[in-house]
Amino acid sequence: NFRIAKNENFKEVSFNTFCEMVGEKGHSFLPGYFKNETRNNENWEFQFCFAIDIDDGETIQEAVEICNEYNIMPSLIYTTFSHTEEHHRFRIVWFLNEVITDVRVQRFIQLGLMRFFKDVDKSCQDRARMFAGGNNIFYKNEDAALSVVQLFLSLNELFRQDNNATKNTLAFARTVGVNLINGYLDCKIQADDKENSTSPNLYFSS
């Protein structure tokens, strides 16, 4: 708990090494980087890895189907040490196609990913959350790279299938501070040659 945020323990590793260390050898990891070698929400600086923890909700196979249906395929799924065939307990890890330095975007991504699954550990929304490793890799995909834009589109698709689509979309938008347009989460795709706005409320994804 105290060692993991030390600068000496932040190491660059390959994708396959990360999967082996976390998914097979039980190494704990932090999705985010923290300044002052202190793991707390105030010291969060950046993040390009996101994870959730599922206990007794969807099975692993059902989780993969959800990810495939909404085009949010993860980079890694591994089982925890308490996983059994009767009670699936596992973690899903996504790597992004960019580094997130805006805490508002971090919150949107983390809470957004959690909305797709029924029984996500609510403590996953904590920026300083440490995830324990496991002992078995169920799925890995080095080429998977989630984008912020895709998450917007996938969340809009998810909310449209809800019986209370308008109410739930509005509630989520207020929680993460995202604007709505005609009942949809506001996300615009613009041409590269269009001049960017200087508004502090806009985030331009890479």
Side-chain angles (χ1 to χ4, degrees), residues 2 4 13 19 26 57 61 93 99-100 113 136 151 153 170 191 203:
F2 295 102
I4 196 168
V13 297
C19 291
Q61 292 82 1
V93 181
V99 177
I100 303 300
L113 289 171
N136 182 61
L151 184 57
L153 298 175
L170 177 60
Y203 175 79

Side-chain angles (χ1 to χ4, degrees), residues 40-134:
N40 59 39
N41 289 335
E42 291 70 28
N43 284 335
W44 177 89
E45 281 204 318
F46 65 82
Q47 188 170 338
F48 59 89
C49 173
F50 287 80
I52 63 171
D53 193 358
I54 296 181
D55 290 327
D56 283 336
E58 290 86 359
T59 65
I60 301 178
Q61 292 82 1
E62 288 171 340
V64 171
E65 291 174 3
I66 290 171
C67 292
N68 186 57
E69 177 182 359
Y70 291 103
N71 198 21
I72 54 167
M73 292 304 294
S75 301
L76 173 67
I77 300 176
Y78 65 92
T79 57
T80 66
F81 289 101
S82 58
H83 169 81
T84 65
E85 286 304 314
E86 295 75 27
H87 302 284
H88 284 205
R89 295 183 172 95
F90 56 98
R91 296 188 175 95
I92 308 177
V93 181
W94 289 266
F95 285 106
L96 267 64
N97 65 340
E98 62 180 304
V99 177
I100 303 300
T101 58
D102 189 322
V103 67
R104 299 168 301 176
V105 181
Q106 191 279 343
R107 180 170 170 79
F108 166 78
I109 296 170
Q110 187 66 50
L111 293 183
L113 289 171
M114 292 171 64
R115 288 301 294 256
F116 291 92
F117 307 92
K118 293 181 296 188
D119 192 29
V120 178
D121 186 341
K122 297 300 186 294
S123 64
C124 291
Q125 62 186 287
D126 186 355
R127 291 193 299 279
R129 170 70 183 268
M130 177 173 62
F131 289 86

Side-chain angles (χ1 to χ4, degrees), residues 142-162:
E142 185 173 3
D143 296 325
L146 182 67
S147 73
V148 178
V149 173
Q150 181 57 55
L151 184 57
F152 264 99
L153 298 175
S154 299
L155 282 167
N156 276 326
E157 183 181 353
L158 175 71
F159 285 126
R160 287 306 98 189
Q161 297 183 20
D162 197 315

Side-chain angles (χ1 to χ4, degrees), residues 130-145:
M130 177 173 62
F131 289 86
N135 59 354
N136 182 61
I137 293 175
F138 179 84
Y139 167 94
K140 68 176 182 177
N141 182 357
E142 185 173 3
D143 296 325

Side-chain angles (χ1 to χ4, degrees), residues 27-43:
H27 288 248
S28 298
F29 71 99
L30 297 178
Y33 177 84
F34 300 86
K35 61 184 178 182
N36 300 326
E37 298 187 322
T38 304
R39 182 175 68 91
N40 59 39
N41 289 335
E42 291 70 28
N43 284 335

